[in-house]
Amino acid sequence: MEHPGWFSPATARLIATTIFVIAYIIIASEKLERAKVAVMAACLMIALGIVSQQQAFGGTEGSPPLVEWNVIFLLSGMMIIVTVLGRTGVFEWLAIKSVHLAKGRPAPLIAILSLVTALASMFLDNVTTVILIAPVTITLARTLRIDPVPLLIAEVIASNVGGTATLIGDPPNIIIGSHAEIGFLPFLTEIGPAAVLSLIATTALAMVWIGKPLKVGSELRRMAMETDSIAAIRDPVLLKQALVVLSITIVGFLVHSLVHLEPATIALFGAAILMLISKEKAESLLSSIEWSTIFFFIGLFIMVGGLVEVGIIELLGQGLYHLCGPNIPVLSMVLLWMSALLSAIVDNIPYVTTMCPVVETIARDMYPQLAAPELRHELMHHADVLVLWWSLALGACLGGNATLIGASANVVVAGIAEHEGYPISFMRFLKYGVVFTLVTLLVSTAYLWLRWLIHM
């Protein structure tokens, strides 16, 4: 990278790391709002020449912008769609139906919500899933007069675990699939079982650890069971229209590569249709966007992008091969756990973007006979190399569960909860996130060994 001339590359790395570490500590301490800290840190990265404004917002020739505008506009569009749906009363209806199915008991309720969230996240981006599910959960918790935060944390864990199973479930998988030319079916069949086993383990743990301490009185359960779900629907006509638009939007997500449209465009298109259909003023609907969450993402992308630009993450990845050598079982385990650790600290999207070329370099070093460009597909699909891709995917997706800023879905849920008056502190999320992450990583470690590594 070219700097304005103020700093050497080594000094630039020191400055970028210092800015990131200080910002991260402040965010974790919650002394200031995370959006304010992230935006200030991003501005410092630009002002000091760690990244240019062009790199941050517009990209350069051959490189996309550091700010993932597809994520930003996907979030904005889905927030508007969810707002219109919320005005119809459908979330209250879903909450009442869930209470009826769980008979008003918190532990079964957590299992139902977790399984629904995970299943949806396998076929939708997990950010979209939590935008749809979180309002239902908050409404449900209010109905039962329990704290919604533990339920929301269990859901976001389930969302990230479920998204691990498929190519389209989590952005890191999309990046890996594109770089390594791996399709939908291999993801589902090769690491889908690890995600399912992890989901079973985390759901059982959530029922015991989160569900049991939540108490709902028998009288309150009886009243909840007698609640009429149909009466919750306030605008049946708008609900039907909104559900049609939502269905078209979801189908659009599934076939976006065939129609050559990004998910962000599809989400904004759905939001625009609902804004025209709804009688609400545009100002009212646009005010429903969680702007603090949006700007936190913008700042976070630039903060992490600064680390990528100065080569910090790439240096860590390259040190991996020098440390482990061509030993596939050791490389796989280190890649799994290192990816989880780093994805808990930085957003997993730029991390995976940086690590994909590193894994490819390792593959070429191990199999120089396949290094020719025309043999790239064969190299990427070599059995040993595939294990490294699966380790990277599992580590990056599951490691994002450890902290509040480890994955996009975590940040979105925190923003929704704060908007509704239930802020999720960094330390409270960490208390649950680290334990759930360790459980899923242990499951993934056992799965990788039993499925592939034990035979090497």
Side-chain angles (χ1 to χ4, degrees), residues 119-453:
L119 181 62
S121 294
M122 290 181 183
F123 303 100
L124 293 176
D125 182 88
N126 50 17
V127 171
T128 301
T129 301
V130 296
I131 288 176
L132 294 170
I133 298 293
V136 177
T137 305
I138 293 172
T139 301
L140 187 153
R142 285 172 175 162
T143 302
L144 296 177
R145 299 177 190 173
I146 57 178
D147 182 7
V149 170
L151 277 70
L152 291 170
I153 292 175
E155 284 172 2
V156 80
I157 298 292
S159 174
N160 290 324
V161 172
T164 305
T166 66
L167 175 68
I168 62 174
D170 210 358
N173 287 0
I174 298 174
I175 296 168
I176 291 170
S178 175
H179 190 92
E181 302 174 16
I182 300 174
F184 185 93
L185 190 59
F187 263 93
L188 183 62
T189 57
E190 300 299 338
I191 64 173
V196 171
L197 292 172
S198 296
L199 178 63
I200 293 171
T202 54
T203 301
L205 178 60
M207 290 178 68
V208 175
W209 188 18
I210 296 177
K212 279 197 171 182
L214 298 175
K215 302 298 181 183
V216 179
S218 57
E219 182 62 21
L220 193 58
R221 285 207 309 270
R222 185 188 63 79
M223 292 173 60
M225 292 294 292
E226 293 175 354
T227 305
D228 183 9
S229 59
I230 300 299
I233 303 298
R234 296 186 291 272
D235 192 335
V237 175
L238 180 60
L239 174 59
K240 292 177 182 178
Q241 295 170 335
L243 289 177
V244 170
V245 173
L246 177 62
S247 300
I248 294 172
T249 303
I250 291 173
V251 172
F253 290 156
L254 296 176
V255 301
H256 74 92
S257 60
L258 299 178
V259 297
H260 305 292
L261 290 174
E262 293 294 332
T265 303
I266 294 169
L268 286 175
F269 188 65
I273 293 174
L274 285 183
M275 288 176 70
L276 289 172
I277 293 173
S278 173
K279 297 177 182 178
E280 296 282 342
K281 291 185 177 181
E283 182 179 358
S284 173
L285 292 174
L286 290 173
S287 67
S288 67
I289 295 176
E290 301 287 342
W291 290 110
S292 62
T293 301
I294 295 297
F295 275 91
F296 175 72
F297 268 115
I298 291 173
L300 185 63
F301 282 133
I302 297 172
M303 283 169 56
V304 177
L307 296 183
V308 173
E309 288 297 318
V310 299
I312 295 294
I313 296 178
E314 187 172 0
L315 286 173
L316 291 172
Q318 290 173 342
L320 173 66
Y321 185 64
H322 295 297
L323 176 67
C324 303
N327 188 314
I328 293 296
V330 174
L331 269 172
S332 176
M333 289 297 100
V334 173
L335 191 60
L336 172 70
W337 287 84
M338 184 187 79
S339 297
L341 176 62
L342 292 178
S343 293
I345 299 172
V346 301
D347 189 272
N348 52 20
I349 295 173
Y351 168 75
V352 168
T353 302
T354 303
M355 285 302 296
C356 281
V358 174
V359 173
E360 184 172 351
T361 300
I362 292 173
R364 286 175 178 166
D365 288 343
M366 288 192 300
Y367 301 102
Q369 70 275 18
L370 299 176
E374 62 271 18
L375 299 176
R376 185 179 183 278
H377 181 83
E378 185 178 347
L379 174 65
M380 294 296 96
H381 288 249
H382 190 286
D384 291 348
V385 179
L386 281 174
V387 177
L388 300 183
W389 290 125
W390 305 142
S391 300
L392 175 62
L394 286 168
C397 293
L398 299 176
N401 272 328
T403 68
L404 191 60
I405 64 171
S408 302
N410 308 13
V411 179
V412 171
V413 167
I416 294 172
E418 186 172 6
H419 181 74
E420 295 294 330
Y422 302 99
I424 302 175
S425 70
F426 187 94
M427 297 308 297
R428 188 176 187 186
F429 190 98
L430 188 70
K431 168 189 169 184
Y432 292 104
V434 168
V435 175
F436 280 107
T437 299
L438 286 174
V439 169
T440 57
L441 288 176
L442 289 172
V443 170
S444 298
T445 297
Y447 177 79
L448 287 170
W449 274 101
L450 293 173
R451 183 73 182 268
W452 290 288
L453 301 179

